[in-house]
Amino acid sequence: MAEARQVPEVAAPAVAQGNAAYAWPTHPTYMGTDVQRIDGPDKVTGRAKYSYDIQRPNMLYGRIVRSPHPRARVVAIDLTMARQAPGVKAALAVVEPNAILMFQGEEVAAVAAATEEQARDAARLVKVQYEVLPPLTSVEQAMSPDAPKVFPDGNVREGAAEETGDLAAGFKAAAHVVEQTYNTQVQTHVSLETHGCVCEWDGDKLTAWVSTQAVHGTREGFAQALKIPQANVRVITQYMGGGFGSKFAPDAQGIICANLAKQAGAPVHLMLDRKEEHLATGNRPSAYAKIRAGVSADGMLTAFDAQTWGTGGAGVGAGFPLPYIYQFPNRRRQHKDVYINAGGARAMRAPGHPQGCFITEVLMDELADLVKLDPVDFRMKNLPPDAPDARWRAYFPIAAKLFGWDKRHPTGDATPGPIKHGFGCSANRWGGGGRGSHAHCEILPDGGVIMRCGTQDIGTGTRTLVSIVTAETLGLPIDAVNTEIGDSLYPFSGGSGGSTTAASVTPAIRVTAVKALDALKAKVAPKLGVPPADLVASDGRLHARNDRAKGMTWKEACRTLGAEPIAVDGEWQPGLSASGTSGVQMAEVEVDTETGVSKVTRLVCVQDCGLIVDKLTAESQVIGGVLFGVNYALFEDRILDRNTGQMVNPNMEWYLIGGPSDVPEITAHLVDQPERGVIGLGEPPAVATAAAIANAIANATGVRLRSLPMTPDKVLAALEQQRAGGTR
Amino acid sequence: MAPKDETRSELDERSGVSRRFFLKTVGAGGVAASVIDGLQEALPHAQEAGTAAAPAAIGPGPVPITLNVNGQRLSLKVEPRTTLLDALRNHAGQTGNKRVCDRGSCGACTMIIDGRTRYACSTLAIEAQGHDIRSIEGLAKGTVLHPVQQAFAEADGMMCGFCTPGFVMSAVALLEKNPHPTVEEAKRALDGNICRCGTYVRVLEAALKTKGVARG
């Protein structure tokens, strides 16, 4: 049973300690401005080739046979008929007889055929005999004492209790106590490009075009699983259609694809379909918290006692941080991972944080109401001390001003009519930060510049960042740089997870470009009669720092290289990046109390991310993160049938993602912190949105929803309970 | 989340084969992969047969078809069950439009057929014969982007880019009919497309600021 592949938060300083030789420019030309994506034209024309789009000569199509049962024993697998089907070139069993399958969608067998249609037909001809076993389909069932023991080490794994301070004294100091249960749903990644790859063998060497967030990590994964040297594997990811934390390895389908290609002696294209994607490629675990929390009469948090649990599916943990951000001096928490027969969790955009944030922030509003304090004032009293990576004390007021928070009414919109309006707020934190990343730069005698780095652009704009930093450093136009990424043949760079890519890659590019420029300066300096240290590169020229006329054009400078290009390697160094971000969000909603439909009308996001490299794409990240949070708040839910354990909405019409009409007015306020260096931004803005929306719905309706997603049925049920005289 | 407004297929109406009828016919006959030939204008041999009473069955194996894609005649051999999207992607190397949900709920495959947006994943290639098909590959003229593409690039109306071709096609279809849409009209026209990265704000910005799209 594997743990979820969580991307570790990087332990890095909160402020960059500058190294003068490579320090970021103080008056940049491109950095921090709006720079269009360099691959934008390829994406808008359809010319960008994703792994899904790769077509090789004589390529076959693969198809996986998956368990239709959430729990079953494989009795027998018969590939005979499948092998005889038209067009079939390879067929294999993925598991042996007697294997126990633990979730719907687990891989059983696979085929490859000349056309996709033939592969689907042949997959249906694979005869698998199952002994169906009773599954655990919900956390309630898995935790009940009479549940069958399905997992070898028990259905529930109880963690050690965490305790700080004196809980009894904390509750004694409380003037009010809230006791409630909160929960968040299972969310799937729904990357638009499904998981999968194209595998092609040349003798004992494998080339794989993979939809992955980690070309080097995936190379290692193929080598280990196939028992071949890493040097024999090449992984290419020029474009990839979203991963959100679910794509760091070849996975079962990658290894199956490589084995089918080997057996068939031909390249195989194996991309999952939408149902497989929902079932087998990861999800954000659910979270439950039964909390007792106390607040003093003057609005200080005093005590927090929580039992928490959640499911990451079959054998995967469901951890999340709690309490989130705010300071409870006396606290205790006991967490349990609950296993059920469903696809396993994987890292998903800020793993654990949206869960911990929602639970804590909804609780915070309940406590604020009890002491009759404005939610912002109440939070300000209970925040940790200000620090470079903890700036909520500054950001709440900024957000309040941008949002118009002073117009908030007390809980429950008193205006007549069915449509109620409300405001809500919340805060978020995340790590980010840089780590080892390498690059290679060539300056060619004809003036050409190539920058290579084995990172990948998962949609965040990494390719563009590489060009920006190279052009900035060499004093050239952005389109003068040939950026080459997305290939494991290029210098090592880590996986794109934990919001670490920008902070890992851009320092490596900066260092490498500076080194390359230094090499060019050394060649040119004697010809200009200027010491190399006095040369600068700007506006396409190399010239003396104090005398622009004493210099030559970039092309002239490169011509002095003769036949031998400059080729230098560089790597990430400390001093150009840092770790730790903070942010605040505020939401306005409109709730129809007759239909239960909530609509988010406005969102303000105040977010820092260190030094901004490309303002345009950074803002896109923030807007996208906020919308990710809107979906989590209102729409998304992996629904399992409680009797059969089957996912009832493994598609995109019943697994809901908001569309253009669901978009609120979004204010993305990025706080630039050039002194901190680059940090990273992909995850932080996605954390706080659902909590802010939940608090806004409570402010509008006067009833509190403690369960995500906040669908119309839950809103109506809460309103009905209030009318019936239930407790708020 | 809203579906495209064209829930009733115009192609189906023209060909005289409704989706419901098609499914019923296939189901009743128990023929998994054959199709009743209703596209008489597109299939010469059917015209020769000339009777509606006894339509000829084709398939289930590959059959020759001719598509009019971006003004080019494209001759392919595909099984009758092959969608227009798969015919272009898997059999003609035109992979610009994407396959995401493969059942008409996300819009990544959106093409313009006879001037209207259509989900190519839910349109059979054989039924698309005789119609004017425009895909994402047909918009740019060499390296010169279509005004909508240019606007998307400038506004950063994309992140991972996998939904982008579908959004561009939907925006082109909108602007050809209505060169000056309101925000609400633009939202409605693009509601049949889903983006996971959350690019809607800038997609709408791009659609609304595009200038110079001629009425189609």
Side-chain angles (χ1 to χ4, degrees), chain A residues 37 43-44 49-50 52-53 55 116-117 121 188-190 274 459 616 619-620 624 636 653 657-658 660-661, chain B residues 1 81-82 89-90 93 95 98-100 103 105 136 145 149 154 156 158-161 190-191 196-197 200 202:
Chain A
R37 251 167 240 268
K43 288 181 176 178
V44 298
K49 291 283 180 195
Y50 296 74
Y52 214 130
D53 303 331
Q55 298 187 336
E116 217 174 356
E117 292 83 1
D121 289 347
T188 63
H189 297 74
V190 199
R274 187 51 51 187
L616 185 69
E619 282 172 359
S620 285
E636 294 182 59
E653 60 269 25
I657 307 277
S661 284
Chain B
M1 291 188 302
R81 59 175 155 168
T82 305
R89 287 183 55 86
N90 294 349
T95 56
K98 305 303 180 202
R99 192 165 82 186
V100 170
R103 50 195 280 167
S105 47
I136 190 71
L145 301 179
Q149 293 173 318
E154 287 172 7
D156 205 37
M158 76 202 89
M159 280 191 252
C160 84
L190 300 176
D191 260 343
R196 182 51 153 168
C197 299
Y200 301 129
R202 286 174 160 174

Short mmCIF file of all heavy atoms in Angstrom, two decimals, chain A residues 37 43-44 49-50 52-53 55 116-117 121 188-190 274 459 616 619-620 624 636 653 657-658 660-661, chain B residues 1 81-82 89-90 93 95 98-100 103 105 136 145 149 154 156 158-161 190-191 196-197 200 202:
data_model
loop_
_atom_site.label_atom_id
_atom_site.label_comp_id
_atom_site.label_asym_id
_atom_site.label_seq_id
_atom_site.Cartn_x
_atom_site.Cartn_y
_atom_site.Cartn_z
N ARG A 37 3.09 34.52 -23.22
CA ARG A 37 3.63 33.17 -23.31
C ARG A 37 4.32 32.96 -24.66
O ARG A 37 3.72 33.23 -25.70
CB ARG A 37 2.46 32.18 -23.27
CG ARG A 37 2.34 31.38 -22.03
CD ARG A 37 0.99 30.72 -22.01
NE ARG A 37 0.30 31.19 -20.82
CZ ARG A 37 0.34 30.58 -19.64
NH1 ARG A 37 1.01 29.43 -19.53
NH2 ARG A 37 -0.25 31.07 -18.60
N LYS A 43 -0.10 27.09 -28.98
CA LYS A 43 -1.29 26.58 -28.30
C LYS A 43 -2.58 27.03 -28.97
O LYS A 43 -3.52 26.26 -29.07
CB LYS A 43 -1.27 27.00 -26.82
CG LYS A 43 -0.20 26.24 -26.01
CD LYS A 43 -0.20 26.63 -24.54
CE LYS A 43 0.80 25.77 -23.76
NZ LYS A 43 0.87 26.14 -22.34
N VAL A 44 -2.64 28.27 -29.43
CA VAL A 44 -3.89 28.75 -30.02
C VAL A 44 -4.12 28.22 -31.43
O VAL A 44 -5.24 28.27 -31.92
CB VAL A 44 -3.98 30.30 -30.03
CG1 VAL A 44 -3.97 30.84 -28.62
CG2 VAL A 44 -2.89 30.92 -30.87
N LYS A 49 2.24 20.07 -29.74
CA LYS A 49 2.04 18.61 -29.72
C LYS A 49 2.13 18.10 -28.29
O LYS A 49 3.20 18.08 -27.69
CB LYS A 49 3.08 17.91 -30.60
CG LYS A 49 2.91 18.17 -32.10
CD LYS A 49 1.77 17.36 -32.69
CE LYS A 49 1.61 17.62 -34.19
NZ LYS A 49 0.33 17.13 -34.71
N TYR A 50 1.00 17.69 -27.77
CA TYR A 50 0.94 17.07 -26.45
C TYR A 50 1.24 15.57 -26.61
O TYR A 50 1.20 15.04 -27.72
CB TYR A 50 -0.45 17.28 -25.86
CG TYR A 50 -0.78 18.73 -25.59
CD1 TYR A 50 -1.09 19.59 -26.64
CD2 TYR A 50 -0.77 19.24 -24.30
CE1 TYR A 50 -1.37 20.94 -26.40
CE2 TYR A 50 -1.06 20.58 -24.05
CZ TYR A 50 -1.35 21.42 -25.11
OH TYR A 50 -1.63 22.75 -24.89
N TYR A 52 -0.64 13.20 -26.02
CA TYR A 52 -1.85 12.64 -26.65
C TYR A 52 -1.77 12.74 -28.17
O TYR A 52 -2.36 11.95 -28.89
CB TYR A 52 -3.06 13.44 -26.15
CG TYR A 52 -4.34 12.66 -25.97
CD1 TYR A 52 -5.06 12.74 -24.79
CD2 TYR A 52 -4.86 11.86 -26.99
CE1 TYR A 52 -6.25 12.06 -24.61
CE2 TYR A 52 -6.04 11.17 -26.82
CZ TYR A 52 -6.74 11.27 -25.64
OH TYR A 52 -7.90 10.58 -25.46
N ASP A 53 -1.04 13.75 -28.67
CA ASP A 53 -1.03 14.05 -30.11
C ASP A 53 0.12 13.37 -30.86
O ASP A 53 0.23 13.51 -32.07
CB ASP A 53 -0.90 15.57 -30.32
CG ASP A 53 -2.01 16.35 -29.64
OD1 ASP A 53 -3.12 15.80 -29.50
OD2 ASP A 53 -1.76 17.51 -29.26
N GLN A 55 2.24 10.93 -32.87
CA GLN A 55 1.95 9.82 -33.78
C GLN A 55 3.26 9.36 -34.39
O GLN A 55 4.03 10.17 -34.88
CB GLN A 55 0.96 10.27 -34.85
CG GLN A 55 -0.37 10.67 -34.21
CD GLN A 55 -1.47 10.96 -35.20
OE1 GLN A 55 -1.19 11.30 -36.35
NE2 GLN A 55 -2.70 10.85 -34.76
N GLU A 116 -7.56 2.31 -32.74
CA GLU A 116 -8.13 2.50 -31.42
C GLU A 116 -9.42 1.68 -31.28
O GLU A 116 -9.70 1.09 -30.23
CB GLU A 116 -8.42 3.99 -31.23
CG GLU A 116 -8.16 4.44 -29.83
CD GLU A 116 -8.29 5.94 -29.65
OE1 GLU A 116 -8.52 6.69 -30.63
OE2 GLU A 116 -8.15 6.37 -28.50
N GLU A 117 -10.20 1.65 -32.35
CA GLU A 117 -11.46 0.90 -32.32
C GLU A 117 -11.17 -0.58 -32.10
O GLU A 117 -11.86 -1.26 -31.32
CB GLU A 117 -12.25 1.11 -33.62
CG GLU A 117 -12.80 2.53 -33.81
CD GLU A 117 -11.78 3.52 -34.39
OE1 GLU A 117 -10.63 3.11 -34.66
OE2 GLU A 117 -12.13 4.70 -34.55
N ASP A 121 -12.31 -3.07 -29.02
CA ASP A 121 -13.02 -4.33 -29.24
C ASP A 121 -12.27 -5.48 -28.59
O ASP A 121 -12.86 -6.34 -27.94
CB ASP A 121 -13.14 -4.61 -30.75
CG ASP A 121 -14.12 -3.66 -31.43
OD1 ASP A 121 -14.86 -2.97 -30.72
OD2 ASP A 121 -14.12 -3.62 -32.68
N THR A 188 -11.44 14.95 -7.61
CA THR A 188 -10.47 14.36 -8.56
C THR A 188 -9.81 15.47 -9.38
O THR A 188 -10.34 16.57 -9.48
CB THR A 188 -11.12 13.32 -9.50
OG1 THR A 188 -12.10 13.98 -10.30
CG2 THR A 188 -11.78 12.20 -8.70
N HIS A 189 -8.66 15.14 -9.97
CA HIS A 189 -7.86 16.19 -10.61
C HIS A 189 -8.49 16.72 -11.90
O HIS A 189 -8.38 17.89 -12.20
CB HIS A 189 -6.46 15.66 -10.91
CG HIS A 189 -5.68 15.28 -9.69
ND1 HIS A 189 -5.94 14.13 -8.96
CD2 HIS A 189 -4.64 15.88 -9.06
CE1 HIS A 189 -5.09 14.07 -7.94
NE2 HIS A 189 -4.30 15.11 -7.97
N VAL A 190 -9.11 15.82 -12.68
CA VAL A 190 -9.72 16.19 -13.96
C VAL A 190 -8.78 17.00 -14.85
O VAL A 190 -9.15 18.03 -15.42
CB VAL A 190 -11.05 16.96 -13.78
CG1 VAL A 190 -11.89 16.91 -15.06
CG2 VAL A 190 -11.89 16.40 -12.64
N ARG A 274 -11.78 9.23 -20.02
CA ARG A 274 -12.20 10.09 -18.90
C ARG A 274 -12.60 9.28 -17.68
O ARG A 274 -12.31 9.65 -16.54
CB ARG A 274 -13.34 11.00 -19.38
CG ARG A 274 -13.78 12.06 -18.42
CD ARG A 274 -12.67 12.92 -17.84
NE ARG A 274 -11.78 13.49 -18.83
CZ ARG A 274 -10.67 14.16 -18.52
NH1 ARG A 274 -10.32 14.35 -17.27
NH2 ARG A 274 -9.89 14.60 -19.48
N GLY A 459 1.77 24.21 -17.81
CA GLY A 459 0.73 25.19 -18.08
C GLY A 459 0.93 26.47 -17.29
O GLY A 459 0.21 27.44 -17.46
N LEU A 616 2.05 38.67 -16.18
CA LEU A 616 0.87 38.20 -16.92
C LEU A 616 0.53 36.76 -16.54
O LEU A 616 -0.61 36.46 -16.18
CB LEU A 616 1.15 38.30 -18.43
CG LEU A 616 -0.02 37.97 -19.36
CD1 LEU A 616 -1.11 39.02 -19.28
CD2 LEU A 616 0.48 37.84 -20.81
N GLU A 619 -0.52 36.33 -12.79
CA GLU A 619 -1.92 36.65 -12.54
C GLU A 619 -2.84 35.53 -13.02
O GLU A 619 -3.85 35.22 -12.39
CB GLU A 619 -2.29 37.97 -13.23
CG GLU A 619 -1.79 39.19 -12.47
CD GLU A 619 -1.98 40.48 -13.25
OE1 GLU A 619 -2.49 40.44 -14.39
OE2 GLU A 619 -1.58 41.53 -12.71
N SER A 620 -2.48 34.93 -14.15
CA SER A 620 -3.29 33.80 -14.64
C SER A 620 -3.31 32.68 -13.62
O SER A 620 -4.34 32.03 -13.40
CB SER A 620 -2.73 33.28 -15.98
OG SER A 620 -3.06 34.17 -17.04
N GLY A 624 -6.65 31.31 -11.94
CA GLY A 624 -6.94 29.88 -12.08
C GLY A 624 -7.05 29.19 -10.73
O GLY A 624 -7.90 28.32 -10.54
N GLU A 636 -17.65 20.27 -7.24
CA GLU A 636 -17.00 18.97 -7.43
C GLU A 636 -17.29 17.98 -6.31
O GLU A 636 -17.28 18.35 -5.13
CB GLU A 636 -15.48 19.16 -7.51
CG GLU A 636 -15.05 19.93 -8.72
CD GLU A 636 -13.54 20.05 -8.77
OE1 GLU A 636 -12.86 19.01 -8.79
OE2 GLU A 636 -13.04 21.18 -8.77
N GLU A 653 -20.04 15.44 -17.19
CA GLU A 653 -21.35 16.08 -17.10
C GLU A 653 -21.96 15.94 -15.72
O GLU A 653 -22.76 16.76 -15.31
CB GLU A 653 -22.31 15.58 -18.19
CG GLU A 653 -22.61 14.11 -18.19
CD GLU A 653 -21.65 13.33 -19.07
OE1 GLU A 653 -20.52 13.81 -19.31
OE2 GLU A 653 -22.02 12.23 -19.52
N ILE A 657 -17.60 20.80 -13.17
CA ILE A 657 -16.57 21.84 -13.17
C ILE A 657 -17.26 23.10 -13.69
O ILE A 657 -17.97 23.03 -14.69
CB ILE A 657 -15.43 21.48 -14.16
CG1 ILE A 657 -14.86 20.10 -13.90
CG2 ILE A 657 -14.35 22.56 -14.15
CD1 ILE A 657 -13.85 20.01 -12.83
N GLY A 658 -17.07 24.20 -13.03
CA GLY A 658 -17.72 25.44 -13.45
C GLY A 658 -17.33 25.84 -14.86
O GLY A 658 -16.24 25.51 -15.34
N PRO A 660 -17.78 29.18 -18.06
CA PRO A 660 -17.64 30.64 -18.15
C PRO A 660 -18.72 31.41 -17.37
O PRO A 660 -18.43 32.45 -16.78
CB PRO A 660 -17.74 30.91 -19.65
CG PRO A 660 -17.18 29.66 -20.27
CD PRO A 660 -17.65 28.54 -19.38
N SER A 661 -19.96 30.90 -17.35
CA SER A 661 -21.03 31.63 -16.65
C SER A 661 -20.91 31.57 -15.14
O SER A 661 -21.63 32.28 -14.43
CB SER A 661 -22.40 31.11 -17.08
OG SER A 661 -22.72 31.60 -18.35
N MET B 1 -20.96 24.88 -17.37
CA MET B 1 -21.62 23.60 -17.20
C MET B 1 -22.84 23.45 -18.11
O MET B 1 -23.36 22.37 -18.26
CB MET B 1 -22.08 23.44 -15.75
CG MET B 1 -20.94 23.27 -14.81
SD MET B 1 -21.54 22.87 -13.18
CE MET B 1 -22.58 24.25 -12.86
N ARG B 81 -18.30 3.84 -37.28
CA ARG B 81 -18.50 4.34 -35.92
C ARG B 81 -17.49 5.42 -35.54
O ARG B 81 -17.55 5.97 -34.45
CB ARG B 81 -18.38 3.18 -34.93
CG ARG B 81 -17.02 2.49 -34.99
CD ARG B 81 -16.87 1.43 -33.91
NE ARG B 81 -15.90 0.42 -34.30
CZ ARG B 81 -15.40 -0.47 -33.46
NH1 ARG B 81 -15.79 -0.49 -32.21
NH2 ARG B 81 -14.53 -1.37 -33.89
N THR B 82 -16.54 5.68 -36.41
CA THR B 82 -15.48 6.64 -36.08
C THR B 82 -16.03 8.07 -36.03
O THR B 82 -16.74 8.50 -36.93
CB THR B 82 -14.36 6.56 -37.13
OG1 THR B 82 -13.92 5.20 -37.22
CG2 THR B 82 -13.18 7.44 -36.76
N ARG B 89 -7.98 13.20 -36.02
CA ARG B 89 -6.82 13.03 -35.16
C ARG B 89 -6.03 11.76 -35.50
O ARG B 89 -4.81 11.81 -35.68
CB ARG B 89 -7.25 12.97 -33.68
CG ARG B 89 -7.68 14.32 -33.10
CD ARG B 89 -8.03 14.16 -31.62
NE ARG B 89 -6.94 13.56 -30.89
CZ ARG B 89 -5.92 14.25 -30.36
NH1 ARG B 89 -5.90 15.56 -30.45
NH2 ARG B 89 -4.95 13.63 -29.73
N ASN B 90 -6.73 10.63 -35.57
CA ASN B 90 -6.03 9.36 -35.70
C ASN B 90 -5.76 8.96 -37.15
O ASN B 90 -4.88 8.15 -37.41
CB ASN B 90 -6.84 8.24 -35.05
CG ASN B 90 -6.95 8.40 -33.54
OD1 ASN B 90 -6.25 9.22 -32.96
ND2 ASN B 90 -7.79 7.62 -32.92
N GLY B 93 -3.85 12.89 -38.99
CA GLY B 93 -2.74 13.60 -38.35
C GLY B 93 -3.09 15.02 -37.92
O GLY B 93 -2.21 15.81 -37.61
N THR B 95 -4.20 16.92 -35.15
CA THR B 95 -4.40 16.70 -33.71
C THR B 95 -4.65 18.00 -32.95
O THR B 95 -4.59 18.03 -31.73
CB THR B 95 -3.17 16.01 -33.10
OG1 THR B 95 -2.02 16.81 -33.39
CG2 THR B 95 -2.97 14.62 -33.68
N LYS B 98 -8.79 18.73 -29.44
CA LYS B 98 -8.43 17.73 -28.44
C LYS B 98 -9.60 16.83 -28.06
O LYS B 98 -10.75 17.21 -28.13
CB LYS B 98 -7.92 18.42 -27.17
CG LYS B 98 -6.76 19.38 -27.41
CD LYS B 98 -5.57 18.74 -28.08
CE LYS B 98 -4.44 19.72 -28.29
NZ LYS B 98 -3.51 19.30 -29.36
N ARG B 99 -9.24 15.64 -27.60
CA ARG B 99 -10.23 14.71 -27.06
C ARG B 99 -10.08 14.72 -25.55
O ARG B 99 -9.03 14.37 -25.02
CB ARG B 99 -10.00 13.31 -27.60
CG ARG B 99 -11.18 12.39 -27.30
CD ARG B 99 -11.11 11.14 -28.13
NE ARG B 99 -10.22 10.16 -27.53
CZ ARG B 99 -9.87 9.02 -28.10
NH1 ARG B 99 -10.34 8.72 -29.30
NH2 ARG B 99 -9.05 8.20 -27.51
N VAL B 100 -11.10 15.14 -24.85
CA VAL B 100 -11.01 15.28 -23.39
C VAL B 100 -12.06 14.42 -22.68
O VAL B 100 -11.74 13.57 -21.88
CB VAL B 100 -11.14 16.77 -22.98
CG1 VAL B 100 -11.29 16.92 -21.48
CG2 VAL B 100 -9.91 17.54 -23.46
N ARG B 103 -17.54 12.73 -24.96
CA ARG B 103 -18.99 12.52 -24.95
C ARG B 103 -19.77 13.84 -24.89
O ARG B 103 -20.83 13.91 -24.27
CB ARG B 103 -19.40 11.59 -23.82
CG ARG B 103 -18.83 11.97 -22.46
CD ARG B 103 -18.95 10.83 -21.48
NE ARG B 103 -20.29 10.71 -20.93
CZ ARG B 103 -20.72 9.66 -20.24
NH1 ARG B 103 -19.90 8.63 -20.04
NH2 ARG B 103 -21.93 9.61 -19.75
N SER B 105 -19.37 16.84 -23.47
CA SER B 105 -19.63 17.69 -22.30
C SER B 105 -18.57 18.74 -22.03
O SER B 105 -18.77 19.57 -21.15
CB SER B 105 -19.88 16.84 -21.05
OG SER B 105 -18.94 15.84 -20.91
N ILE B 136 -9.45 23.80 -35.86
CA ILE B 136 -8.48 24.78 -35.38
C ILE B 136 -7.33 24.96 -36.37
O ILE B 136 -6.76 26.04 -36.48
CB ILE B 136 -7.95 24.38 -33.97
CG1 ILE B 136 -7.13 25.50 -33.34
CG2 ILE B 136 -7.14 23.09 -34.02
CD1 ILE B 136 -7.93 26.69 -32.90
N LEU B 145 -1.67 34.78 -37.29
CA LEU B 145 -2.76 34.24 -36.50
C LEU B 145 -4.09 34.87 -36.89
O LEU B 145 -4.14 36.03 -37.30
CB LEU B 145 -2.51 34.48 -35.00
CG LEU B 145 -1.25 33.88 -34.40
CD1 LEU B 145 -1.16 34.25 -32.91
CD2 LEU B 145 -1.22 32.37 -34.57
N GLN B 149 -7.22 34.16 -32.39
CA GLN B 149 -6.00 33.51 -31.86
C GLN B 149 -5.04 34.56 -31.31
O GLN B 149 -4.44 34.39 -30.25
CB GLN B 149 -5.33 32.69 -32.96
CG GLN B 149 -6.16 31.49 -33.39
CD GLN B 149 -5.57 30.79 -34.60
OE1 GLN B 149 -5.11 31.43 -35.55
NE2 GLN B 149 -5.58 29.46 -34.58
N GLU B 154 -2.48 37.36 -26.70
CA GLU B 154 -2.17 38.62 -26.03
C GLU B 154 -2.76 38.69 -24.62
O GLU B 154 -2.14 39.21 -23.70
CB GLU B 154 -2.67 39.81 -26.86
CG GLU B 154 -1.83 40.05 -28.10
CD GLU B 154 -2.44 41.09 -29.04
OE1 GLU B 154 -3.44 41.72 -28.65
OE2 GLU B 154 -1.89 41.25 -30.14
N ASP B 156 -3.38 36.22 -22.65
CA ASP B 156 -3.05 35.00 -21.91
C ASP B 156 -4.32 34.18 -21.64
O ASP B 156 -4.54 33.70 -20.53
CB ASP B 156 -2.32 35.30 -20.60
CG ASP B 156 -1.45 34.13 -20.14
OD1 ASP B 156 -0.86 33.47 -21.03
OD2 ASP B 156 -1.36 33.86 -18.93
N MET B 158 -5.03 31.30 -21.93
CA MET B 158 -4.69 29.86 -21.91
C MET B 158 -3.71 29.61 -20.78
O MET B 158 -3.01 30.52 -20.35
CB MET B 158 -4.02 29.45 -23.21
CG MET B 158 -2.57 29.91 -23.29
SD MET B 158 -1.92 30.05 -24.94
CE MET B 158 -2.37 31.74 -25.30
N MET B 159 -3.71 28.39 -20.29
CA MET B 159 -2.61 27.97 -19.42
C MET B 159 -2.05 26.68 -20.00
O MET B 159 -1.22 26.73 -20.89
CB MET B 159 -3.06 27.88 -17.97
CG MET B 159 -3.08 29.28 -17.33
SD MET B 159 -3.30 29.29 -15.56
CE MET B 159 -4.98 29.90 -15.48
N CYS B 160 -2.54 25.52 -19.55
CA CYS B 160 -1.97 24.30 -20.15
C CYS B 160 -2.26 24.24 -21.63
O CYS B 160 -1.51 23.63 -22.38
CB CYS B 160 -2.45 23.05 -19.42
SG CYS B 160 -4.05 22.41 -19.93
N GLY B 161 -3.36 24.85 -22.06
CA GLY B 161 -3.63 24.95 -23.50
C GLY B 161 -4.47 23.84 -24.09
O GLY B 161 -4.77 23.87 -25.28
N LEU B 190 -19.73 30.58 -24.90
CA LEU B 190 -18.56 29.77 -24.52
C LEU B 190 -18.90 28.76 -23.42
O LEU B 190 -18.03 28.01 -22.97
CB LEU B 190 -17.42 30.68 -24.07
CG LEU B 190 -16.92 31.69 -25.12
CD1 LEU B 190 -15.85 32.59 -24.53
CD2 LEU B 190 -16.38 30.96 -26.34
N ASP B 191 -20.14 28.75 -22.97
CA ASP B 191 -20.51 27.87 -21.86
C ASP B 191 -20.43 26.39 -22.19
O ASP B 191 -20.45 25.55 -21.29
CB ASP B 191 -21.93 28.20 -21.37
CG ASP B 191 -21.91 29.06 -20.11
OD1 ASP B 191 -20.85 29.12 -19.47
OD2 ASP B 191 -22.94 29.67 -19.78
N ARG B 196 -9.96 23.51 -17.06
CA ARG B 196 -9.64 23.11 -15.70
C ARG B 196 -8.64 24.07 -15.05
O ARG B 196 -8.63 24.23 -13.83
CB ARG B 196 -9.07 21.68 -15.71
CG ARG B 196 -8.72 21.12 -14.33
CD ARG B 196 -9.86 21.27 -13.35
NE ARG B 196 -9.85 20.26 -12.30
CZ ARG B 196 -10.60 20.32 -11.20
NH1 ARG B 196 -11.41 21.36 -11.02
NH2 ARG B 196 -10.56 19.37 -10.31
N CYS B 197 -7.78 24.70 -15.86
CA CYS B 197 -6.80 25.62 -15.29
C CYS B 197 -7.46 26.91 -14.81
O CYS B 197 -6.87 27.63 -14.01
CB CYS B 197 -5.72 25.97 -16.32
SG CYS B 197 -4.78 24.56 -16.91
N TYR B 200 -10.98 31.18 -17.85
CA TYR B 200 -12.18 31.84 -18.38
C TYR B 200 -12.10 33.35 -18.41
O TYR B 200 -12.58 33.98 -19.35
CB TYR B 200 -13.40 31.45 -17.54
CG TYR B 200 -13.70 29.98 -17.48
CD1 TYR B 200 -13.89 29.34 -16.26
CD2 TYR B 200 -13.82 29.22 -18.64
CE1 TYR B 200 -14.18 27.98 -16.20
CE2 TYR B 200 -14.10 27.87 -18.59
CZ TYR B 200 -14.29 27.25 -17.36
OH TYR B 200 -14.57 25.92 -17.30
N ARG B 202 -9.72 35.42 -18.82
CA ARG B 202 -8.94 35.97 -19.93
C ARG B 202 -9.41 35.46 -21.28
O ARG B 202 -9.21 36.12 -22.30
CB ARG B 202 -7.46 35.71 -19.68
CG ARG B 202 -6.99 36.66 -18.58
CD ARG B 202 -5.62 36.47 -18.09
NE ARG B 202 -5.16 37.69 -17.43
CZ ARG B 202 -4.02 37.80 -16.78
NH1 ARG B 202 -3.21 36.77 -16.69
NH2 ARG B 202 -3.69 38.94 -16.21
#
